[in-house]
Amino acid sequence: MKKNILLIHTGGTISMSEDNSGAVKPGAKNPLTEEGQILSGLANLIVEEPFHLPSPHITLRDMMTLKQMLDHYAEKNWIDGAVITHGTDTLEETAYFLDLTVKANFPIVVTGAMRSSNEIGSDGLYNLISAIRVASSEDARNKGVLVVLNDEIHTAENVTKTHTSNVSTFQSPQFGPIGIVTKQGILFHHMPSYHENYAISDITKKVVIVKAHAGMDSSLLLAVQDLKVHGVVIEALGQGNMPPATVPGIKALIANNIPVVIVSRAFNGIVQDIYAYEGGGKQLKEAGVIFSNGLNGQKARIKLLIALEVTNDMKEIEEMFRN
């Protein structure tokens, strides 16, 4: 029996076309809507298109719209799964936001494309078919929000875009995919050991990302403080170390009750409070910096934004980032 699948189109390359000059842009119609006959053979589709945006245009408000739409369908118990088509540039952020905030017992799958609908080798329709198949699979339940492209199934927490144009751009650097899409079925070979979820009704805070570099001082951090932000994520060096001249700026942020979360600018490994020299991770941890457990900068920002909606207590926020 075919499943009832909610299909949410949000825009992105998967819904764009290339013109005669080679420029890729949205058209008057979403080309995916022309594929109804092919897609209807996979599932009973309920199609929604709340907005049609390139992914660099996606905001937290748009992510909240998707969360509320999914929550609505979950409350009504109308569907067996959901698929979201999305531009790839910010796909991982939307997927992770939904992973942390949507409470649904059906599979939610996010997909996209690296080539527009009329380019040679276009991957959009194939990825969408794969995503619908995964969302229809009973084995996809209770695994959090999934990202499906290029025959691979990734968790929203671990997946990231690793190449600007290659169709195999989405990878989970430390862990790999949790499953694959084959012609005969959907195969999961492992699953996450832990899934967290937070009840929020809005996103009202401002969190910025700062990337560390050799010779960095505190000027940028002090300027960020003047912007009246509610939190800062720093993509630090190595295992979580900073140039010594940044320490006054970091301490000033913490003294003003602005949480500072450290991740690494390296995309493999986790940050740890190991080094005890000036600006080293051990000193930063003692000063009150929060060390994130393996997230990249953009996802740490999403998590901190959500954490700040739940609590203002630094200890509670730090505990959330240990998971």
Side-chain angles (χ1 to χ4, degrees), residues 267-291:
F267 62 83
N268 271 315
I270 64 172
V271 288
Q272 301 177 88
D273 53 325
I274 300 297
Y275 290 95
Y277 51 69
E278 182 74 6
K282 187 172 180 61
Q283 183 194 60
L284 297 178
K285 185 72 175 291
E286 291 171 352
V289 168
I290 297 168
F291 278 60

mmCIF file with all atom_site columns, all heavy atoms in Angstrom, residues 267-291:
data_model
loop_
_atom_site.group_PDB
_atom_site.id
_atom_site.type_symbol
_atom_site.label_atom_id
_atom_site.label_alt_id
_atom_site.label_comp_id
_atom_site.label_asym_id
_atom_site.label_entity_id
_atom_site.label_seq_id
_atom_site.pdbx_PDB_ins_code
_atom_site.Cartn_x
_atom_site.Cartn_y
_atom_site.Cartn_z
_atom_site.occupancy
_atom_site.B_iso_or_equiv
_atom_site.pdbx_formal_charge
_atom_site.auth_seq_id
_atom_site.auth_comp_id
_atom_site.auth_asym_id
_atom_site.auth_atom_id
_atom_site.pdbx_PDB_model_num
ATOM 1   N N   . PHE A 1 267 ? 37.325 20.038 10.040 1.00 0.00 ? 267 PHE A N   1
ATOM 2   C CA  . PHE A 1 267 ? 36.018 19.393 9.967  1.00 0.00 ? 267 PHE A CA  1
ATOM 3   C C   . PHE A 1 267 ? 36.023 17.944 10.453 1.00 0.00 ? 267 PHE A C   1
ATOM 4   O O   . PHE A 1 267 ? 35.010 17.267 10.407 1.00 0.00 ? 267 PHE A O   1
ATOM 5   C CB  . PHE A 1 267 ? 35.438 19.479 8.550  1.00 0.00 ? 267 PHE A CB  1
ATOM 6   C CG  . PHE A 1 267 ? 36.248 18.782 7.486  1.00 0.00 ? 267 PHE A CG  1
ATOM 7   C CD1 . PHE A 1 267 ? 36.124 17.421 7.282  1.00 0.00 ? 267 PHE A CD1 1
ATOM 8   C CD2 . PHE A 1 267 ? 37.112 19.502 6.692  1.00 0.00 ? 267 PHE A CD2 1
ATOM 9   C CE1 . PHE A 1 267 ? 36.856 16.785 6.297  1.00 0.00 ? 267 PHE A CE1 1
ATOM 10  C CE2 . PHE A 1 267 ? 37.857 18.878 5.700  1.00 0.00 ? 267 PHE A CE2 1
ATOM 11  C CZ  . PHE A 1 267 ? 37.728 17.509 5.501  1.00 0.00 ? 267 PHE A CZ  1
ATOM 12  N N   . ASN A 1 268 ? 37.153 17.454 10.939 1.00 0.00 ? 268 ASN A N   1
ATOM 13  C CA  . ASN A 1 268 ? 37.207 16.142 11.569 1.00 0.00 ? 268 ASN A CA  1
ATOM 14  C C   . ASN A 1 268 ? 37.683 16.282 13.005 1.00 0.00 ? 268 ASN A C   1
ATOM 15  O O   . ASN A 1 268 ? 38.498 17.153 13.314 1.00 0.00 ? 268 ASN A O   1
ATOM 16  C CB  . ASN A 1 268 ? 38.161 15.204 10.814 1.00 0.00 ? 268 ASN A CB  1
ATOM 17  C CG  . ASN A 1 268 ? 37.457 14.435 9.712  1.00 0.00 ? 268 ASN A CG  1
ATOM 18  O OD1 . ASN A 1 268 ? 36.370 13.909 9.910  1.00 0.00 ? 268 ASN A OD1 1
ATOM 19  N ND2 . ASN A 1 268 ? 38.079 14.371 8.544  1.00 0.00 ? 268 ASN A ND2 1
ATOM 20  N N   . GLY A 1 269 ? 37.188 15.415 13.880 1.00 0.00 ? 269 GLY A N   1
ATOM 21  C CA  . GLY A 1 269 ? 37.599 15.450 15.275 1.00 0.00 ? 269 GLY A CA  1
ATOM 22  C C   . GLY A 1 269 ? 36.707 16.356 16.106 1.00 0.00 ? 269 GLY A C   1
ATOM 23  O O   . GLY A 1 269 ? 35.786 16.993 15.605 1.00 0.00 ? 269 GLY A O   1
ATOM 24  N N   . ILE A 1 270 ? 36.973 16.401 17.403 1.00 0.00 ? 270 ILE A N   1
ATOM 25  C CA  . ILE A 1 270 ? 36.206 17.230 18.327 1.00 0.00 ? 270 ILE A CA  1
ATOM 26  C C   . ILE A 1 270 ? 37.146 18.152 19.090 1.00 0.00 ? 270 ILE A C   1
ATOM 27  O O   . ILE A 1 270 ? 38.352 17.893 19.183 1.00 0.00 ? 270 ILE A O   1
ATOM 28  C CB  . ILE A 1 270 ? 35.375 16.377 19.319 1.00 0.00 ? 270 ILE A CB  1
ATOM 29  C CG1 . ILE A 1 270 ? 36.301 15.544 20.226 1.00 0.00 ? 270 ILE A CG1 1
ATOM 30  C CG2 . ILE A 1 270 ? 34.393 15.485 18.584 1.00 0.00 ? 270 ILE A CG2 1
ATOM 31  C CD1 . ILE A 1 270 ? 35.576 14.826 21.340 1.00 0.00 ? 270 ILE A CD1 1
ATOM 32  N N   . VAL A 1 271 ? 36.591 19.225 19.636 1.00 0.00 ? 271 VAL A N   1
ATOM 33  C CA  . VAL A 1 271 ? 37.391 20.126 20.462 1.00 0.00 ? 271 VAL A CA  1
ATOM 34  C C   . VAL A 1 271 ? 37.490 19.573 21.885 1.00 0.00 ? 271 VAL A C   1
ATOM 35  O O   . VAL A 1 271 ? 36.554 18.961 22.391 1.00 0.00 ? 271 VAL A O   1
ATOM 36  C CB  . VAL A 1 271 ? 36.794 21.554 20.475 1.00 0.00 ? 271 VAL A CB  1
ATOM 37  C CG1 . VAL A 1 271 ? 37.013 22.240 19.141 1.00 0.00 ? 271 VAL A CG1 1
ATOM 38  C CG2 . VAL A 1 271 ? 35.306 21.538 20.817 1.00 0.00 ? 271 VAL A CG2 1
ATOM 39  N N   . GLN A 1 272 ? 38.644 19.805 22.506 1.00 0.00 ? 272 GLN A N   1
ATOM 40  C CA  . GLN A 1 272 ? 38.881 19.327 23.865 1.00 0.00 ? 272 GLN A CA  1
ATOM 41  C C   . GLN A 1 272 ? 39.772 20.322 24.599 1.00 0.00 ? 272 GLN A C   1
ATOM 42  O O   . GLN A 1 272 ? 40.611 20.984 23.983 1.00 0.00 ? 272 GLN A O   1
ATOM 43  C CB  . GLN A 1 272 ? 39.575 17.958 23.849 1.00 0.00 ? 272 GLN A CB  1
ATOM 44  C CG  . GLN A 1 272 ? 38.803 16.871 23.132 1.00 0.00 ? 272 GLN A CG  1
ATOM 45  C CD  . GLN A 1 272 ? 39.571 15.567 23.101 1.00 0.00 ? 272 GLN A CD  1
ATOM 46  O OE1 . GLN A 1 272 ? 39.477 14.749 24.009 1.00 0.00 ? 272 GLN A OE1 1
ATOM 47  N NE2 . GLN A 1 272 ? 40.369 15.380 22.059 1.00 0.00 ? 272 GLN A NE2 1
ATOM 48  N N   . ASP A 1 273 ? 39.600 20.390 25.903 1.00 0.00 ? 273 ASP A N   1
ATOM 49  C CA  . ASP A 1 273 ? 40.414 21.317 26.707 1.00 0.00 ? 273 ASP A CA  1
ATOM 50  C C   . ASP A 1 273 ? 41.716 20.622 27.107 1.00 0.00 ? 273 ASP A C   1
ATOM 51  O O   . ASP A 1 273 ? 41.888 20.165 28.228 1.00 0.00 ? 273 ASP A O   1
ATOM 52  C CB  . ASP A 1 273 ? 39.632 21.806 27.920 1.00 0.00 ? 273 ASP A CB  1
ATOM 53  C CG  . ASP A 1 273 ? 39.065 20.672 28.758 1.00 0.00 ? 273 ASP A CG  1
ATOM 54  O OD1 . ASP A 1 273 ? 38.678 19.635 28.185 1.00 0.00 ? 273 ASP A OD1 1
ATOM 55  O OD2 . ASP A 1 273 ? 39.008 20.822 29.984 1.00 0.00 ? 273 ASP A OD2 1
ATOM 56  N N   . ILE A 1 274 ? 42.651 20.585 26.164 1.00 0.00 ? 274 ILE A N   1
ATOM 57  C CA  . ILE A 1 274 ? 43.915 19.848 26.354 1.00 0.00 ? 274 ILE A CA  1
ATOM 58  C C   . ILE A 1 274 ? 45.076 20.783 26.667 1.00 0.00 ? 274 ILE A C   1
ATOM 59  O O   . ILE A 1 274 ? 45.824 20.583 27.629 1.00 0.00 ? 274 ILE A O   1
ATOM 60  C CB  . ILE A 1 274 ? 44.242 19.022 25.098 1.00 0.00 ? 274 ILE A CB  1
ATOM 61  C CG1 . ILE A 1 274 ? 43.120 18.013 24.801 1.00 0.00 ? 274 ILE A CG1 1
ATOM 62  C CG2 . ILE A 1 274 ? 45.593 18.323 25.259 1.00 0.00 ? 274 ILE A CG2 1
ATOM 63  C CD1 . ILE A 1 274 ? 42.914 16.975 25.871 1.00 0.00 ? 274 ILE A CD1 1
ATOM 64  N N   . TYR A 1 275 ? 45.237 21.825 25.860 1.00 0.00 ? 275 TYR A N   1
ATOM 65  C CA  . TYR A 1 275 ? 46.449 22.649 25.956 1.00 0.00 ? 275 TYR A CA  1
ATOM 66  C C   . TYR A 1 275 ? 46.311 23.736 27.022 1.00 0.00 ? 275 TYR A C   1
ATOM 67  O O   . TYR A 1 275 ? 45.304 24.444 27.073 1.00 0.00 ? 275 TYR A O   1
ATOM 68  C CB  . TYR A 1 275 ? 46.772 23.264 24.605 1.00 0.00 ? 275 TYR A CB  1
ATOM 69  C CG  . TYR A 1 275 ? 47.255 22.237 23.605 1.00 0.00 ? 275 TYR A CG  1
ATOM 70  C CD1 . TYR A 1 275 ? 46.373 21.647 22.708 1.00 0.00 ? 275 TYR A CD1 1
ATOM 71  C CD2 . TYR A 1 275 ? 48.584 21.841 23.583 1.00 0.00 ? 275 TYR A CD2 1
ATOM 72  C CE1 . TYR A 1 275 ? 46.802 20.684 21.795 1.00 0.00 ? 275 TYR A CE1 1
ATOM 73  C CE2 . TYR A 1 275 ? 49.035 20.875 22.677 1.00 0.00 ? 275 TYR A CE2 1
ATOM 74  C CZ  . TYR A 1 275 ? 48.142 20.303 21.786 1.00 0.00 ? 275 TYR A CZ  1
ATOM 75  O OH  . TYR A 1 275 ? 48.577 19.354 20.900 1.00 0.00 ? 275 TYR A OH  1
ATOM 76  N N   . ALA A 1 276 ? 47.373 23.866 27.850 1.00 0.00 ? 276 ALA A N   1
ATOM 77  C CA  . ALA A 1 276 ? 47.319 24.759 29.011 1.00 0.00 ? 276 ALA A CA  1
ATOM 78  C C   . ALA A 1 276 ? 48.061 26.073 28.803 1.00 0.00 ? 276 ALA A C   1
ATOM 79  O O   . ALA A 1 276 ? 48.197 26.863 29.734 1.00 0.00 ? 276 ALA A O   1
ATOM 80  C CB  . ALA A 1 276 ? 47.889 24.041 30.241 1.00 0.00 ? 276 ALA A CB  1
ATOM 81  N N   . TYR A 1 277 ? 48.561 26.337 27.579 1.00 0.00 ? 277 TYR A N   1
ATOM 82  C CA  . TYR A 1 277 ? 49.243 27.603 27.343 1.00 0.00 ? 277 TYR A CA  1
ATOM 83  C C   . TYR A 1 277 ? 48.214 28.736 27.195 1.00 0.00 ? 277 TYR A C   1
ATOM 84  O O   . TYR A 1 277 ? 47.003 28.505 27.140 1.00 0.00 ? 277 TYR A O   1
ATOM 85  C CB  . TYR A 1 277 ? 50.140 27.513 26.107 1.00 0.00 ? 277 TYR A CB  1
ATOM 86  C CG  . TYR A 1 277 ? 49.470 26.988 24.855 1.00 0.00 ? 277 TYR A CG  1
ATOM 87  C CD1 . TYR A 1 277 ? 48.505 27.715 24.172 1.00 0.00 ? 277 TYR A CD1 1
ATOM 88  C CD2 . TYR A 1 277 ? 49.820 25.737 24.345 1.00 0.00 ? 277 TYR A CD2 1
ATOM 89  C CE1 . TYR A 1 277 ? 47.907 27.237 23.028 1.00 0.00 ? 277 TYR A CE1 1
ATOM 90  C CE2 . TYR A 1 277 ? 49.224 25.238 23.196 1.00 0.00 ? 277 TYR A CE2 1
ATOM 91  C CZ  . TYR A 1 277 ? 48.264 25.993 22.532 1.00 0.00 ? 277 TYR A CZ  1
ATOM 92  O OH  . TYR A 1 277 ? 47.665 25.516 21.407 1.00 0.00 ? 277 TYR A OH  1
ATOM 93  N N   . GLU A 1 278 ? 48.705 29.980 27.135 1.00 0.00 ? 278 GLU A N   1
ATOM 94  C CA  . GLU A 1 278 ? 47.834 31.145 26.987 1.00 0.00 ? 278 GLU A CA  1
ATOM 95  C C   . GLU A 1 278 ? 47.009 31.011 25.704 1.00 0.00 ? 278 GLU A C   1
ATOM 96  O O   . GLU A 1 278 ? 47.553 30.897 24.602 1.00 0.00 ? 278 GLU A O   1
ATOM 97  C CB  . GLU A 1 278 ? 48.681 32.421 26.934 1.00 0.00 ? 278 GLU A CB  1
ATOM 98  C CG  . GLU A 1 278 ? 47.889 33.711 26.833 1.00 0.00 ? 278 GLU A CG  1
ATOM 99  C CD  . GLU A 1 278 ? 47.214 34.108 28.131 1.00 0.00 ? 278 GLU A CD  1
ATOM 100 O OE1 . GLU A 1 278 ? 47.447 33.442 29.163 1.00 0.00 ? 278 GLU A OE1 1
ATOM 101 O OE2 . GLU A 1 278 ? 46.454 35.085 28.119 1.00 0.00 ? 278 GLU A OE2 1
ATOM 102 N N   . GLY A 1 279 ? 45.693 31.021 25.839 1.00 0.00 ? 279 GLY A N   1
ATOM 103 C CA  . GLY A 1 279 ? 44.811 30.842 24.700 1.00 0.00 ? 279 GLY A CA  1
ATOM 104 C C   . GLY A 1 279 ? 44.493 29.389 24.402 1.00 0.00 ? 279 GLY A C   1
ATOM 105 O O   . GLY A 1 279 ? 43.677 29.095 23.524 1.00 0.00 ? 279 GLY A O   1
ATOM 106 N N   . GLY A 1 280 ? 45.127 28.471 25.123 1.00 0.00 ? 280 GLY A N   1
ATOM 107 C CA  . GLY A 1 280 ? 44.870 27.045 24.928 1.00 0.00 ? 280 GLY A CA  1
ATOM 108 C C   . GLY A 1 280 ? 43.503 26.638 25.443 1.00 0.00 ? 280 GLY A C   1
ATOM 109 O O   . GLY A 1 280 ? 42.877 27.326 26.255 1.00 0.00 ? 280 GLY A O   1
ATOM 110 N N   . GLY A 1 281 ? 43.033 25.489 24.984 1.00 0.00 ? 281 GLY A N   1
ATOM 111 C CA  . GLY A 1 281 ? 41.694 25.038 25.330 1.00 0.00 ? 281 GLY A CA  1
ATOM 112 C C   . GLY A 1 281 ? 41.453 24.893 26.818 1.00 0.00 ? 281 GLY A C   1
ATOM 113 O O   . GLY A 1 281 ? 40.364 25.196 27.309 1.00 0.00 ? 281 GLY A O   1
ATOM 114 N N   . LYS A 1 282 ? 42.461 24.445 27.554 1.00 0.00 ? 282 LYS A N   1
ATOM 115 C CA  . LYS A 1 282 ? 42.289 24.276 29.000 1.00 0.00 ? 282 LYS A CA  1
ATOM 116 C C   . LYS A 1 282 ? 42.018 25.618 29.670 1.00 0.00 ? 282 LYS A C   1
ATOM 117 O O   . LYS A 1 282 ? 41.129 25.732 30.529 1.00 0.00 ? 282 LYS A O   1
ATOM 118 C CB  . LYS A 1 282 ? 43.530 23.605 29.602 1.00 0.00 ? 282 LYS A CB  1
ATOM 119 C CG  . LYS A 1 282 ? 43.378 23.226 31.063 1.00 0.00 ? 282 LYS A CG  1
ATOM 120 C CD  . LYS A 1 282 ? 44.558 22.391 31.533 1.00 0.00 ? 282 LYS A CD  1
ATOM 121 C CE  . LYS A 1 282 ? 44.406 22.005 33.007 1.00 0.00 ? 282 LYS A CE  1
ATOM 122 N NZ  . LYS A 1 282 ? 43.198 21.204 33.254 1.00 0.00 ? 282 LYS A NZ  1
ATOM 123 N N   . GLN A 1 283 ? 42.768 26.635 29.284 1.00 0.00 ? 283 GLN A N   1
ATOM 124 C CA  . GLN A 1 283 ? 42.551 27.969 29.852 1.00 0.00 ? 283 GLN A CA  1
ATOM 125 C C   . GLN A 1 283 ? 41.173 28.510 29.460 1.00 0.00 ? 283 GLN A C   1
ATOM 126 O O   . GLN A 1 283 ? 40.473 29.111 30.278 1.00 0.00 ? 283 GLN A O   1
ATOM 127 C CB  . GLN A 1 283 ? 43.642 28.926 29.376 1.00 0.00 ? 283 GLN A CB  1
ATOM 128 C CG  . GLN A 1 283 ? 43.522 30.318 29.994 1.00 0.00 ? 283 GLN A CG  1
ATOM 129 C CD  . GLN A 1 283 ? 44.382 31.344 29.285 1.00 0.00 ? 283 GLN A CD  1
ATOM 130 O OE1 . GLN A 1 283 ? 44.194 31.584 28.088 1.00 0.00 ? 283 GLN A OE1 1
ATOM 131 N NE2 . GLN A 1 283 ? 45.318 31.958 30.016 1.00 0.00 ? 283 GLN A NE2 1
ATOM 132 N N   . LEU A 1 284 ? 40.775 28.297 28.208 1.00 0.00 ? 284 LEU A N   1
ATOM 133 C CA  . LEU A 1 284 ? 39.478 28.792 27.746 1.00 0.00 ? 284 LEU A CA  1
ATOM 134 C C   . LEU A 1 284 ? 38.327 28.115 28.495 1.00 0.00 ? 284 LEU A C   1
ATOM 135 O O   . LEU A 1 284 ? 37.348 28.758 28.862 1.00 0.00 ? 284 LEU A O   1
ATOM 136 C CB  . LEU A 1 284 ? 39.334 28.563 26.238 1.00 0.00 ? 284 LEU A CB  1
ATOM 137 C CG  . LEU A 1 284 ? 40.331 29.303 25.344 1.00 0.00 ? 284 LEU A CG  1
ATOM 138 C CD1 . LEU A 1 284 ? 40.098 28.941 23.881 1.00 0.00 ? 284 LEU A CD1 1
ATOM 139 C CD2 . LEU A 1 284 ? 40.239 30.814 25.539 1.00 0.00 ? 284 LEU A CD2 1
ATOM 140 N N   . LYS A 1 285 ? 38.463 26.807 28.709 1.00 0.00 ? 285 LYS A N   1
ATOM 141 C CA  . LYS A 1 285 ? 37.426 26.075 29.437 1.00 0.00 ? 285 LYS A CA  1
ATOM 142 C C   . LYS A 1 285 ? 37.299 26.610 30.857 1.00 0.00 ? 285 LYS A C   1
ATOM 143 O O   . LYS A 1 285 ? 36.188 26.804 31.376 1.00 0.00 ? 285 LYS A O   1
ATOM 144 C CB  . LYS A 1 285 ? 37.770 24.587 29.453 1.00 0.00 ? 285 LYS A CB  1
ATOM 145 C CG  . LYS A 1 285 ? 36.700 23.693 30.074 1.00 0.00 ? 285 LYS A CG  1
ATOM 146 C CD  . LYS A 1 285 ? 35.487 23.566 29.171 1.00 0.00 ? 285 LYS A CD  1
ATOM 147 C CE  . LYS A 1 285 ? 34.465 22.584 29.711 1.00 0.00 ? 285 LYS A CE  1
ATOM 148 N NZ  . LYS A 1 285 ? 34.958 21.181 29.654 1.00 0.00 ? 285 LYS A NZ  1
ATOM 149 N N   . GLU A 1 286 ? 38.422 26.870 31.486 1.00 0.00 ? 286 GLU A N   1
ATOM 150 C CA  . GLU A 1 286 ? 38.402 27.410 32.851 1.00 0.00 ? 286 GLU A CA  1
ATOM 151 C C   . GLU A 1 286 ? 37.784 28.805 32.901 1.00 0.00 ? 286 GLU A C   1
ATOM 152 O O   . GLU A 1 286 ? 37.209 29.211 33.909 1.00 0.00 ? 286 GLU A O   1
ATOM 153 C CB  . GLU A 1 286 ? 39.820 27.436 33.418 1.00 0.00 ? 286 GLU A CB  1
ATOM 154 C CG  . GLU A 1 286 ? 40.376 26.045 33.696 1.00 0.00 ? 286 GLU A CG  1
ATOM 155 C CD  . GLU A 1 286 ? 41.860 26.048 34.045 1.00 0.00 ? 286 GLU A CD  1
ATOM 156 O OE1 . GLU A 1 286 ? 42.489 27.135 33.911 1.00 0.00 ? 286 GLU A OE1 1
ATOM 157 O OE2 . GLU A 1 286 ? 42.389 24.985 34.436 1.00 0.00 ? 286 GLU A OE2 1
ATOM 158 N N   . ALA A 1 287 ? 37.875 29.539 31.792 1.00 0.00 ? 287 ALA A N   1
ATOM 159 C CA  . ALA A 1 287 ? 37.295 30.882 31.725 1.00 0.00 ? 287 ALA A CA  1
ATOM 160 C C   . ALA A 1 287 ? 35.793 30.864 31.478 1.00 0.00 ? 287 ALA A C   1
ATOM 161 O O   . ALA A 1 287 ? 35.141 31.900 31.568 1.00 0.00 ? 287 ALA A O   1
ATOM 162 C CB  . ALA A 1 287 ? 37.990 31.688 30.623 1.00 0.00 ? 287 ALA A CB  1
ATOM 163 N N   . GLY A 1 288 ? 35.247 29.684 31.146 1.00 0.00 ? 288 GLY A N   1
ATOM 164 C CA  . GLY A 1 288 ? 33.799 29.577 30.951 1.00 0.00 ? 288 GLY A CA  1
ATOM 165 C C   . GLY A 1 288 ? 33.351 29.326 29.522 1.00 0.00 ? 288 GLY A C   1
ATOM 166 O O   . GLY A 1 288 ? 32.149 29.335 29.232 1.00 0.00 ? 288 GLY A O   1
ATOM 167 N N   . VAL A 1 289 ? 34.310 29.096 28.621 1.00 0.00 ? 289 VAL A N   1
ATOM 168 C CA  . VAL A 1 289 ? 33.952 28.782 27.239 1.00 0.00 ? 289 VAL A CA  1
ATOM 169 C C   . VAL A 1 289 ? 33.300 27.405 27.181 1.00 0.00 ? 289 VAL A C   1
ATOM 170 O O   . VAL A 1 289 ? 33.699 26.480 27.900 1.00 0.00 ? 289 VAL A O   1
ATOM 171 C CB  . VAL A 1 289 ? 35.206 28.833 26.336 1.00 0.00 ? 289 VAL A CB  1
ATOM 172 C CG1 . VAL A 1 289 ? 34.915 28.226 24.977 1.00 0.00 ? 289 VAL A CG1 1
ATOM 173 C CG2 . VAL A 1 289 ? 35.682 30.266 26.187 1.00 0.00 ? 289 VAL A CG2 1
ATOM 174 N N   . ILE A 1 290 ? 32.292 27.253 26.327 1.00 0.00 ? 290 ILE A N   1
ATOM 175 C CA  . ILE A 1 290 ? 31.578 25.986 26.152 1.00 0.00 ? 290 ILE A CA  1
ATOM 176 C C   . ILE A 1 290 ? 32.178 25.245 24.965 1.00 0.00 ? 290 ILE A C   1
ATOM 177 O O   . ILE A 1 290 ? 32.283 25.794 23.866 1.00 0.00 ? 290 ILE A O   1
ATOM 178 C CB  . ILE A 1 290 ? 30.073 26.240 25.918 1.00 0.00 ? 290 ILE A CB  1
ATOM 179 C CG1 . ILE A 1 290 ? 29.449 26.905 27.148 1.00 0.00 ? 290 ILE A CG1 1
ATOM 180 C CG2 . ILE A 1 290 ? 29.348 24.939 25.583 1.00 0.00 ? 290 ILE A CG2 1
ATOM 181 C CD1 . ILE A 1 290 ? 28.056 27.457 26.915 1.00 0.00 ? 290 ILE A CD1 1
ATOM 182 N N   . PHE A 1 291 ? 32.572 24.003 25.178 1.00 0.00 ? 291 PHE A N   1
ATOM 183 C CA  . PHE A 1 291 ? 33.147 23.184 24.116 1.00 0.00 ? 291 PHE A CA  1
ATOM 184 C C   . PHE A 1 291 ? 32.055 22.304 23.505 1.00 0.00 ? 291 PHE A C   1
ATOM 185 O O   . PHE A 1 291 ? 31.369 21.566 24.206 1.00 0.00 ? 291 PHE A O   1
ATOM 186 C CB  . PHE A 1 291 ? 34.284 22.325 24.663 1.00 0.00 ? 291 PHE A CB  1
ATOM 187 C CG  . PHE A 1 291 ? 35.593 23.058 24.759 1.00 0.00 ? 291 PHE A CG  1
ATOM 188 C CD1 . PHE A 1 291 ? 35.712 24.193 25.556 1.00 0.00 ? 291 PHE A CD1 1
ATOM 189 C CD2 . PHE A 1 291 ? 36.698 22.630 24.052 1.00 0.00 ? 291 PHE A CD2 1
ATOM 190 C CE1 . PHE A 1 291 ? 36.910 24.879 25.645 1.00 0.00 ? 291 PHE A CE1 1
ATOM 191 C CE2 . PHE A 1 291 ? 37.913 23.309 24.134 1.00 0.00 ? 291 PHE A CE2 1
ATOM 192 C CZ  . PHE A 1 291 ? 38.017 24.429 24.922 1.00 0.00 ? 291 PHE A CZ  1
#
